[in-house]
């Protein structure tokens, strides 16, 4: 009777509140109907699709959270069945008066032999995890609500959430403090699981709610502009609004409460009408996404083919591998979009994407390893700059899609594939699949990997994955595959042959393969010597251009080597300069400095690390370019073996079990990985994100693209650097200021002094006439 009365009161109170909230939201929307209709008409379909996918992941992880709660209670229900029943029961929360779907969940799972008291306990734990996970993610919104002067308030909130989280995970230590009825109440309210299990559940909740925030951001951003620099702040806001709505038991699914908080918050960065529209639109898409999720679960539950059984078995048997594949896929999806948008908005240039694309295109058409001199007008060998012969091997792949974006796609795919090799290396060395998964995750988050990935295309960027693969096959003594990947790595840049030579020594001494090791060592050093001392100077007509970066130590390779090693005081002084030490910190921080525990593998990174540290070119000792690609794999290998070494010490056996140590390293690595991607990475929400491709798009890019695509490929073109990559698929392309007196077509984006001077010069040249002009873009045709 009391239960029915309570449900009736919630219906009487909750329904009017919901209708009232809906009335004010619709009223606010109607006041700006024309603008909103335009936004809806111009919805960004891909952002909307990614938003729906994020919402589905949110529901999937939440259903998995419930499954783990049941498993920790020693029930053996399958995930497929648990996920289906959970999703069906969740529908009931849309009914006023049955907000948390307790009754539906209880009835459905009781039929599967799960006791009512355990279901009730699980529902309480699930609700607590949901609130706690939301509180943690909501911390991201603190900078949005509090100014820089309110640091005390922010610290207080953060410390309180931290204390509550640790106390919740470590609750068994506090249960003993209570007696009698308080003990019963407290025991019922907290999960009866171990510290590791509680922490895992909290982590799952945080992941689920983080994806909920992403889903809201992408959905609203598909119809209303949201500044990507507020990405993390807005995720926190959406989660805060959601949990408040979740706790408001008098409204169905928290409707109206969540929208009100979102509207008030978004009104600070956009109009109230757009904020209301975005809030309601995201609610609608959330409901649609949940229906998709339920439909997928139903199809999954009803389908019992051999193929489905094989997939389920693979997921159940190798969950970490499946997560590596998922994380790598998400990485590839994001960085493919970013790379393509950078190209579309002319943030890539002749230096260096255009140079690479022209070399590959020429090689595909029979002019092997040839390009137009980017610092002149003649046709020269690419060997004049670098011995990245892998560009020739990419030519057949390029035939599938002759577009510079193909190189960007290849680069992203290879970079993402590195996570798999990191996983299997860690799995085989540390014998722990979860730590292997974490290492893969922090590899994908590594600021050096990510920034190299989006900085045009460079063959050397592929080396990171090639070295991981080469080491894995070396470790397994599969020497044919080791040689294949080592050879691929060496074809990416000339100095990599030195690293391959060091691998030869390792084969010689550690695997006792004397002939193979000696052959690799001698051959690799011979190739390196030939390239640096003979081939590149012959093609360039002088010493390697990069030797100028080490001019403080000599004028040629021999003098530089002598200068570095015979002037130790000068070398050490340079390395210990603040900017160089900061560079070293940026390299080692992503793995929590664990690489320093076992620095043996840093020997392999030594040649490039020394070049970077001693260079007078500041770009070489920054992580924003491709120069870390040959160093990153050995930092990771040193970190992996650092943990393996620590396991052999007496410290490992003190105070904690092996499982507790593993848990410690998981938390430790995740903490440093997430912190460094926030401090140094290019992702939205980071301190210095790379978002110009989203926030500063070229307004006339369609006009520019159309004109550039109509230039015949047999005509020579002189172009500004930012247009150069778009015109690289031709035999002759000059980079301004070169070729202004001989090109058939001149195309300029007037964005700096050099292009302004070029425009003035060509506009006065009677041999050219202007054939296109719009804003900063102008083009001339030779008469």
């Amino acid at each position: 009777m009391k239960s029915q009365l309570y449900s009736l009161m919630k219906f009487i109170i909750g329904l009017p509140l919901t209708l009232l909230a809906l009335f004010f939201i619709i009223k606010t929307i109607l006041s700006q109907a024309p603008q909103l209709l335009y936004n809806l008409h111009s919805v960004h379909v891909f952002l909307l699709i990614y938003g729906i996918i994020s919402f589905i992941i949110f529901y999937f992880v939440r259903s998995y959270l419930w499954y783990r709660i049941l498993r920790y209670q020693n029930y053996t229900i399958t995930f497929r069945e648990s996920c289906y029943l959970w999703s069906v029961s969740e529908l009931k929360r849309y009914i006023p008066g049955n907000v948390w779907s307790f009754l539906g969940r209880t009835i459905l799972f009781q039929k599967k032999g799960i006791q009512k008291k355990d279901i009730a306990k699980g529902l309480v734990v699930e609700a607590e995890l949901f609130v706690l996970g939301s509180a943690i993610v909501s911390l991201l919104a603190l900078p949005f609500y509090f100014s820089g002067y309110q640091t005390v308030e922010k610290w207080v909130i953060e410390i309180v959430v931290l204390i509550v989280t640790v106390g919740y995970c470590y609750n068994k230590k506090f249960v003993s403090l209570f007696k009698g009825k308080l003990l019963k109440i407290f025991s019922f309210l907290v999960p009866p699981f171990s510290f590791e299990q509680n922490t895992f559940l909290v982590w799952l909740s945080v992941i689920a709610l983080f994806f909920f925030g992403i889903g809201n951001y992408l959905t609203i951003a598909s119809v209303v502009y949201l500044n990507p620099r507020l990405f993390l702040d807005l995720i926190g806001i959406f989660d805060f609004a959601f949990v408040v709505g979740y706790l408001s038991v008098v409204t169905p699914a928290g409707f109206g409460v969540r929208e009100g908080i979102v509207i008030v918050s978004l009104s600070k960065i956009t109009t109230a009408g757009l904020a209301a529209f975005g809030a309601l639109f995201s609610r609608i898409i959330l409901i649609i996404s949940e229906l998709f999720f339920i439909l997928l679960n139903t199809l999954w539950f009803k389908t019992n083919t051999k193929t489905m059984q094989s997939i389920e078995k693979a997921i159940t048997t190798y969950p970490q591998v499946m997560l590596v594949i998922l994380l790598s896929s998400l990485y590839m999806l994001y960085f493919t979009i970013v790379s393509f948008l950078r190209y579309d908005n002319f943030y890539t240039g002749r230096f260096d994407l255009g140079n690479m694309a022209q070399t590959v295109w020429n090689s595909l058409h029979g002019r092997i390893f040839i390009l137009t001199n980017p610092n002149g007008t003649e046709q020269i060998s690419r060997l004049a700059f670098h011995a990245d012969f892998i560009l020739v091997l990419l030519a057949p792949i390029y035939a599938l899609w002759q577009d510079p974006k193909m190189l960007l796609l290849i680069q992203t795919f290879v970079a993402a594939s590195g996570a798999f090799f990191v996983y299997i290396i860690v799995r085989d060395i540390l014998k722990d699949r979860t730590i292997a998964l974490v290492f893969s995750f922090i590899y994908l988050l590594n600021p050096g990997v990510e920034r190299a990935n989006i900085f045009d295309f460079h063959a050397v960027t592929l080396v990171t994955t090639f070295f991981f693969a080469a080491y894995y096959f070396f470790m397994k003594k599969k020497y044919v595959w080791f040689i294949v990947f080592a050879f691929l790595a060496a074809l990416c840049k000339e100095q990599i042959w030195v690293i391959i030579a060091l691998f030869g020594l390792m084969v010689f001494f550690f695997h006792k393969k004397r002939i193979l090791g000696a052959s690799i060592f001698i051959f690799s050093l011979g190739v390196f010597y030939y390239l640096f001392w003979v081939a590149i100077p012959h093609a360039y007509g002088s010493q390697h251009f990069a030797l100028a970066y080490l001019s403080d130590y000599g004028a040629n390779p021999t003098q530089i080597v002598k200068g570095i090693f015979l002037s130790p005081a000068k070398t050490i002084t340079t390395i210990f300069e603040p900017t160089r030490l900061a560079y070293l910190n940026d390299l080692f921080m992503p793995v929590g400095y664990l690489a320093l525990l076992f620095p043996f593998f840093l020997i392999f990174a030594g040649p490039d690390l020394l070049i970077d540290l001693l260079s007078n070119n500041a770009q070489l000792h920054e992580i924003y370019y491709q120069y870390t690609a040959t160093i990153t794999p050995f930092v990771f290998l040193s970190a992996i073996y650092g943990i393996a070494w620590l396991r052999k010490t007496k410290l490992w056996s003190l105070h904690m079990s092996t499982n507790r140590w593993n848990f410690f390293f998981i938390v430790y690595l995740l903490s440093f990985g997430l912190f460094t991607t926030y401090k140094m990475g290019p992702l939205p929400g980071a301190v210095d994100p790379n978002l110009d491709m989203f926030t500063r798009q070229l307004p006339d890019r369609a006009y520019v693209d159309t004109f550039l695509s109509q230039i015949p490929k047999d005509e020579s073109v002189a172009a500004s650097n930012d247009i150069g990559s778009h015109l690289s698929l031709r035999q002759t392309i000059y980079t301004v200021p070169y070729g202004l007196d001989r090109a058939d077509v001149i195309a300029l984006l007037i964005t700096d002094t050099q292009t302004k001077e070029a425009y003035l010069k060509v506009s006065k040249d009677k041999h050219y006439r202007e054939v296109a002009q719009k804003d900063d873009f102008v083009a001339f045709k030779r008469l």
Side-chain angles (χ1 to χ4, degrees), residues 274-291:
L274 288 173
F277 175 68
L280 188 57
F281 183 71
S282 67
R283 163 70 74 166
I284 294 169
I285 298 302
L286 176 66
I287 295 171
I288 293 172
S289 301
E290 185 169 17
L291 293 177

Side-chain angles (χ1 to χ4, degrees), residues 2 40 127 168 198 283 396 408 449 573 754:
K2 289 182 179 180
L40 190 59
Y168 186 81
N198 289 336
R283 163 70 74 166
L408 300 176
V449 172
T573 300
Q754 187 179 69

Side-chain angles (χ1 to χ4, degrees), residues 555-611:
N556 58 54
T558 303
Q559 291 177 1
I560 289 172
V561 172
K562 289 182 178 179
I564 290 172
F565 292 102
L566 297 181
S567 305
K570 180 180 179 181
T571 301
I572 293 172
T573 300
T574 301
I575 291 173
F576 278 87
E577 288 181 3
T579 55
R580 271 72 168 183
L581 292 177
Y583 175 61
L584 290 172
N585 180 70
D586 293 347
L587 289 173
F588 294 119
M589 187 188 294
V591 293
Y593 308 102
L594 290 173
L596 301 178
L597 293 177
F598 195 86
F600 170 77
F601 286 95
L602 298 181
I603 295 172
F604 294 84
D608 267 42
L609 190 57
L610 199 60
I611 291 171

Side-chain angles (χ1 to χ4, degrees), residues 247-263:
L247 293 173
S248 59
V249 296
V250 295
T251 59
F255 187 83
V257 178
R258 180 177 76 87
E259 283 72 19
I261 295 174
V262 171
I263 291 168

Side-chain angles (χ1 to χ4, degrees), residues 67 70-77 112-115 118:
Y67 166 74
L70 295 180
R71 287 296 301 270
Y72 290 158
Q73 291 179 317
N74 298 317
Y75 289 103
T76 57
I77 186 172
K112 299 300 175 182
I114 300 173
Q115 296 183 24
D118 290 329

Side-chain angles (χ1 to χ4, degrees), residues 247-476:
L247 293 173
S248 59
V249 296
V250 295
T251 59
F255 187 83
V257 178
R258 180 177 76 87
E259 283 72 19
I261 295 174
V262 171
I263 291 168
V264 171
S265 301
L266 292 185
S267 294
K268 295 182 179 182
I269 58 175
T270 187
T271 65
L274 288 173
F277 175 68
L280 188 57
F281 183 71
S282 67
R283 163 70 74 166
I284 294 169
I285 298 302
L286 176 66
I287 295 171
I288 293 172
S289 301
E290 185 169 17
L291 293 177
F292 271 125
F293 170 71
I294 294 170
L295 177 62
L296 291 172
N297 270 319
T298 303
L299 292 173
W300 180 28
F301 183 70
K302 300 295 184 182
T303 304
N304 197 27
T305 63
K306 289 184 178 181
T307 303
M308 183 61 70
Q309 291 174 358
S310 299
I311 294 173
E312 287 181 18
K313 184 178 179 181
I315 294 173
T316 305
T317 309
Y318 308 106
Q320 294 88 353
V321 174
M322 297 300 110
L323 284 172
V324 171
I325 293 172
L326 174 63
L327 292 171
S328 299
S329 300
L330 291 173
Y331 173 96
M332 187 171 177
L333 176 64
Y334 177 78
F335 283 97
T336 298
I337 293 170
V338 166
S339 298
F340 283 9
L341 278 178
R342 279 178 52 81
Y343 176 83
D344 291 338
N345 289 282
F346 299 94
Y347 285 108
T348 60
R350 174 73 194 279
F351 295 95
D352 289 311
L353 177 60
N355 291 333
M356 309 293 183
Q358 189 191 24
T359 304
V360 176
W361 187 82
N362 271 333
S363 297
L364 179 63
H365 290 82
R367 296 177 290 275
I368 307 299
F369 216 47
I370 298 296
L371 79 164
T372 306
N373 187 354
N375 300 314
T377 57
E378 70 278 16
Q379 300 295 310
I380 62 172
S381 170
R382 170 70 186 164
L383 190 58
F385 300 98
H386 288 298
D388 41 10
F389 296 111
I390 199 167
L391 297 177
V392 179
L393 295 184
L394 293 178
I397 303 175
Y398 206 66
L400 300 174
W401 183 26
Q402 295 185 42
D403 191 293
K405 287 182 179 179
M406 185 62 169
L407 295 182
L408 300 176
L409 183 63
I410 291 170
Q411 180 169 260
T412 302
F413 173 77
V414 174
S417 301
F420 176 74
F421 286 105
V422 171
Y423 174 81
I424 56 178
I425 289 171
V426 179
R427 179 201 64 190
D428 289 356
I429 294 173
L430 299 182
K431 310 299 181 184
D432 189 289
R433 296 177 186 273
T434 305
I435 293 182
L437 171 62
V438 171
F439 262 107
S440 295
F441 182 50
I442 64 172
Y443 161 78
L444 293 171
L445 288 180
N446 187 278
V449 172
E450 293 179 342
R451 289 195 177 276
N453 198 161
I454 62 177
F455 184 57
D456 282 21
F457 172 87
H458 299 86
V460 72
T461 304
L462 310 179
V463 165
T464 304
T465 296
F466 291 160
F467 272 147
F468 279 130
Y471 182 75
Y472 173 76
F473 290 115
F474 163 81
M475 187 174 67
K476 292 296 184 179

